[in-house]
């Protein structure tokens, strides 16, 4: 079992949702939906921030598969050309270094888009919007990542929980197969 590979139709539907809602709303919907499908718990740090998520109890393969589908839909990144457009709009409202040419700006935009390509679409757009509203000078990749990291971290932990469940299932399947062949 792998996390779901999305076809173009599902990817388009996911992007429609992700580009019209805030990361907070999307993540809250994910958590609410997962609570109704699978049993999991939050592991907390000493400061009560979330450290990780872990599956608990007995979750059927069907429930795991449905949870994987939900997480996969919430992790769809914006296509690179749309990322470039959003970053270009963002640069229009900022002061750029005086010696920077349009080619330099385009190269910087491509590098930043590439560096943010792991962000889901809603988190990427949130980060770009935050930067456009709070920064005067053309920001670095690190500033964009910091703007979206809070939302991305939580979503990524949910994604990792599902990946770990798949790895555990594959290990169990493998060890079962090994026992049968003895």
């Amino acid at each position: 079992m792998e996390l779901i590979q999305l076809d173009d139709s599902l990817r388009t539907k996911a992007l429609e949702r992700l580009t019209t809602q805030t990361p907070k709303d999307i993540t809250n919907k994910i958590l609410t939906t997962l609570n109704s499908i699978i049993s999991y718990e939050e592991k907390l740090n000493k400061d009560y921030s979330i450290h990780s998520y872990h599956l608990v109890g007995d979750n059927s393969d069907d429930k795991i598969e449905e949870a994987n589908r939900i997480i996969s839909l919430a992790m769809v990144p914006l296509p690179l050309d749309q990322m470039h457009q959003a970053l270009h709009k963002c640069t229009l409202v900022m002061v750029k270094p005086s010696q920077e040419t349009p080619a330099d700006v385009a190269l910087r935009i491509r590098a930043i888009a590439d560096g943010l390509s792991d962000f889901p679409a809603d988190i990427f757009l949130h980060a770009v919007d935050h930067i456009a509203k709070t920064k005067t000078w053309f920001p670095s990749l690190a500033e964009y990542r910091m703007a979206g990291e809070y939302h991305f971290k939580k979503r990524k932990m949910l994604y990792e929980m599902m990946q770990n469940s798949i790895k555990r299932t594959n290990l169990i399947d493998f060890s079962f197969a090994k026992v049968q062949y003895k």
Side-chain angles (χ1 to χ4, degrees):
M1 189 183 321
E2 295 180 16
L3 287 179
I4 310 292
Q5 293 294 322
L6 303 174
D7 62 27
D8 289 340
S9 173
L10 283 175
R11 184 174 290 279
T12 300
K13 287 179 184 177
L15 281 172
E16 285 174 15
R17 287 188 187 109
L18 292 172
T19 57
T20 58
Q21 298 178 36
T22 68
K24 181 179 178 182
D25 290 341
I26 294 285
T27 301
N28 286 340
K29 287 178 184 177
I30 293 167
L31 291 170
T32 300
T33 305
L34 289 181
N35 274 328
S36 70
I37 298 172
I38 58 174
S39 298
Y40 67 95
E41 65 182 8
E42 298 176 340
K43 298 284 185 177
L44 303 176
N45 291 319
K46 290 178 183 178
D47 65 355
Y48 298 103
S49 62
I50 299 171
H51 173 267
S52 60
Y53 292 97
H54 296 280
L55 291 175
V56 294
D58 188 26
N59 293 297
S60 70
D61 288 345
D62 290 342
K63 290 179 179 183
I64 296 288
E65 188 174 325
E66 180 63 13
N68 281 331
R69 186 183 70 77
I70 289 163
I71 294 297
S72 295
L73 290 170
M75 295 298 287
V76 173
L78 203 59
L80 276 175
D81 62 326
Q82 292 178 31
M83 291 174 80
H84 293 168
Q85 288 173 356
L87 289 166
H88 182 70
K89 273 190 208 175
C90 187
T91 65
L92 295 176
V93 298
M94 295 180 176
V95 177
K96 292 177 277 311
S98 61
Q99 302 301 316
E100 201 163 72
T101 67
D104 294 333
V105 172
L107 184 61
R108 186 188 301 241
I109 285 172
R110 281 195 304 273
I112 291 171
D114 191 47
L116 298 174
S117 62
D118 59 331
F119 276 10
D122 60 321
I123 296 171
F124 170 82
L125 292 172
H126 167 78
V128 171
D129 184 57
H130 176 78
I131 292 292
K133 290 177 181 175
T134 61
K135 301 293 179 188
T136 304
W137 296 93
F138 199 85
S140 66
L141 170 60
E143 290 173 288
Y144 281 100
R145 288 206 69 87
M146 283 189 292
E149 197 62 39
Y150 170 79
H151 296 289
F152 183 58
K153 183 179 177 184
K154 195 172 214 179
R155 191 98 45 96
K156 187 175 177 187
M157 285 188 287
L158 290 165
Y159 182 80
E160 288 170 350
M161 172 183 69
M162 298 314 303
Q163 282 186 320
N164 290 338
S165 75
I166 291 169
K167 287 177 188 173
R168 186 176 39 203
T169 302
N170 288 342
L171 285 175
I172 291 168
D173 290 347
F174 178 72
S175 65
F176 180 71
K178 200 173 181 183
V179 169
Q180 286 206 351
Y181 288 113
K182 284 186 174 182

